[in-house]
Amino acid sequence: MNQPKDSILQTSRRNLKQAAERLNLDEAMHERISRPHERIEINTAPVLPDGEMVNVSIFVVRHSDELGPAKGGIRMTADVTLDDIAGLATEMTWKTALIGVPFGGGKSGIRLNPAPLSPEAKEVVIRAFTRAVRRHIGPEIYIPAPDMGTNESDMAHIRDCISYSEGISITKGCFVTGKPVILGGIVGRREATGKGVIYTILAMCEQLGLDVSKLRIVMQGFGNVGSVAAADIARYGASVIAVSDSKGGVINNDGLDIDGLLQHANKTGSVRGFEHATQVDPAKIFEIDCDILIPAAAASQITVQNAGNIRAGIIAEAANAPTTPRGDEILKERNIHVIPDILCNAGGVFVSYLEYTQETQHEQMTITEVEQRLADRMKERFIEVYESSKEKGLTMREAAMDIAVSKVVEAVTVRGLLP
Ligand code: NAD
C-alpha cells in the first residue's frame, strides 16, 4: 500500500530537529528558530480580462529576518498550501545563511494554476497578489523573486504595480529580484540557479576524481532551472540521457540534443513527443541507470517508495525539498552522495543578492562579473560543506544544515534579548 508522502513542512521540521540535536540546542532556541515570524493567508478574487472572477488564495511567510530581510520566491501552482510556503520559507533561512548573503528566509504562494492563463490574465492575478501583500513586501521586509510558475515578467508587473499605486519610481531600494534587466534586473539571474547547480556538480566531480565529459545525467523537470542546468552540463561534455516533466519523459542513451529539446518544449509545452528520443514513463525517471540524478521539479519526489530503486551515485538537488526524510535515510544507507538543496540551488538567491546590491548602488554588473562571483561562491561553499561532512562523518545535508543553523543561532544570540 502506498504511504502518504511527507510534506515540505514535515521535511523541513525534521531536518531542523536533527540539526538541533546534533548541535545540542536547547528546546527554547530550537522552537524560536523553527517558528515563522509571520505566516499569513489572504483570499482575493480578481476579475480576469474575459470577465471571469477567480478565487485565489495568497500566502506569505516570513520565517526569519535574523540575518536580514526575508528573501524567497513566489510559487504559483494549483495546489500550493500555506504549510508548503512555511516549509519553503524555512528552507530559505538556511539557504541564505549557508550561501552567505545578508537575508533571512521568506516565501510566498499564489494558489492558482498559471498554465491556462493568458499573459493578460496572469498580469491581473499578479497585480492582485501585489496589492494584497504590499504591506509585507519591501527592501527591508520581504523581497520576492521567481519560483515555480512565476517568471521575470511577473516580477516586472510587481515592481510596476507598487510604483504605479504609490506614484514613485522605486529607484531607491530593491522590492523584487529576478526583474528584466531594463528595470534594474541583473544579467544572468534567470540562468543563475541552473548554473549554480552545475558548479556544485563540477566541484563534487573534482573531489571524487570523476571525468565530467563521461557523465550520464538524468533530470526531472525541464523548466527554468532544469533546462538551464541541462544545457550547461552538456557544454562540459556530459550526456543528458533522460528528461521528464509533468506531462511526459524522453530518453536517448547516446545523449539528448538539449537545444532541440528546448525548442520542442517551448513550442509544445512539454518534452513529451520529442522525436529524436524514446518516450519514457515520467514515474520511472528515477530508476534509469545514470551517474547523476538531478531532481529539478517539485518537492517530495524521492521517497521511501522509490529511493531504493535509484541507480545514480550522486543526486544534485536542484529542486527545493525534493527528498523526504524517509527517502533521505535510504539514500544515506546506500551511500549515495546528495548535494543538498540549500547548497545546490542557492545560485539563484546569490545572484538575487547581487541584483539587490547593484540596485541599491545604482550600478550594473557585467555578465563576466556575475558569473565569476557565482562560480567562486558556489565552489567555496561546496568545499566548506564537503570538508565539514568528511571531518565530522556527516552527510552533506547534515553538514550544510549544521553550518546554516549555527549561523542563525549566532545571529539570534549576538542580537540579544527581545525587544
Ligand atoms: P518551472 O515552473 O520553470 O519548471 C518546473 C518544471 O518541473 C516543469 O518542467 C514542470 O513540468 C516540471 N514538473 C512539475 N511537477 C512535476 C512532477 N511532479 N514530475 C515531473 N516534472 C514536474 O520551475 P523552476 O523555476 O524551474 O523551479 C524548479 C524547482 O527549482 C522548484 O523546486 C523550485 O522551487 C526550485 N528552485 C527554483 C529557483 C529559481 O530561481 N527559479 C531557485 C531555487 C530553487
Side-chain angles (χ1 to χ4, degrees), residues 108-344:
S108 47
I110 304 174
R111 192 179 169 93
L112 188 70
N113 179 9
L117 299 180
S118 67
E120 295 75 22
K122 193 172 185 208
E123 181 174 342
V124 167
V125 175
I126 292 292
R127 285 179 187 274
F129 163 85
T130 311
R131 285 192 298 275
V133 303
R134 172 64 188 99
R135 281 178 297 128
H136 306 275
I137 293 183
E140 286 138 1
I141 310 168
Y142 163 55
I143 306 153
D147 187 61
M148 275 176 89
T150 57
N151 55 33
E152 67 173 31
S153 53
D154 302 323
M155 303 307 119
H157 300 319
I158 292 173
R159 186 192 185 284
D160 181 70
C161 186
I162 297 173
S163 170
Y164 179 80
S165 57
E166 295 175 22
I168 52 172
S169 71
I170 324 181
T171 52
K172 284 210 176 109
C174 177
F175 282 72
V176 60
T177 61
K179 302 179 291 292
V181 172
I182 190 79
L183 292 180
I186 192 162
V187 285
R189 170 61 185 87
R190 197 187 69 77
E191 297 82 8
T193 306
K195 286 197 165 191
V197 167
I198 302 310
Y199 287 130
T200 65
I201 291 177
L202 298 179
M204 183 95 228
C205 290
E206 211 175 301
Q207 295 297 332
L208 301 180
L210 298 174
D211 178 351
V212 180
S213 68
K214 297 208 166 64
L215 294 178
R216 290 171 328 122
I217 315 281
V218 168
M219 171 109 48
Q220 183 197 44
F222 200 60
N224 175 16
V225 178
S227 63
V228 170
D232 206 41
I233 193 87
R235 269 194 284 278
Y236 289 94
S239 300
V240 180
I241 58 165
V243 172
S244 71
D245 62 21
S246 54
K247 294 184 184 154
V250 287
I251 184 166
N252 181 337
N253 280 315
D254 296 328
L256 291 160
D257 162 18
I258 297 300
D259 290 339
L261 185 62
L262 193 55
Q263 279 173 22
H264 173 86
N266 285 340
K267 205 160 78 190
T268 66
S270 172
V271 298
R272 186 179 57 187
F274 182 53
E275 58 185 10
H276 309 291
T278 307
Q279 306 306 303
V280 67
D281 177 357
K284 303 270 183 222
I285 195 87
F286 292 155
E287 295 175 19
I288 296 170
D289 189 17
C290 64
D291 302 300
I292 303 192
L293 176 64
I294 308 182
S300 309
Q301 297 297 301
I302 299 175
T303 67
V304 69
Q305 266 108 16
N306 59 19
N309 301 334
I310 286 174
R311 293 162 80 187
I314 299 171
I315 297 176
E317 292 186 335
N320 281 313
T323 309
T324 67
R326 287 175 298 162
D328 205 32
E329 278 163 26
I330 296 172
L331 301 180
K332 185 175 174 180
E333 276 162 25
R334 297 185 60 211
N335 290 321
I336 294 177
H337 298 281
V338 179
I339 309 173
D341 53 358
I342 59 170
L343 171 66
C344 190

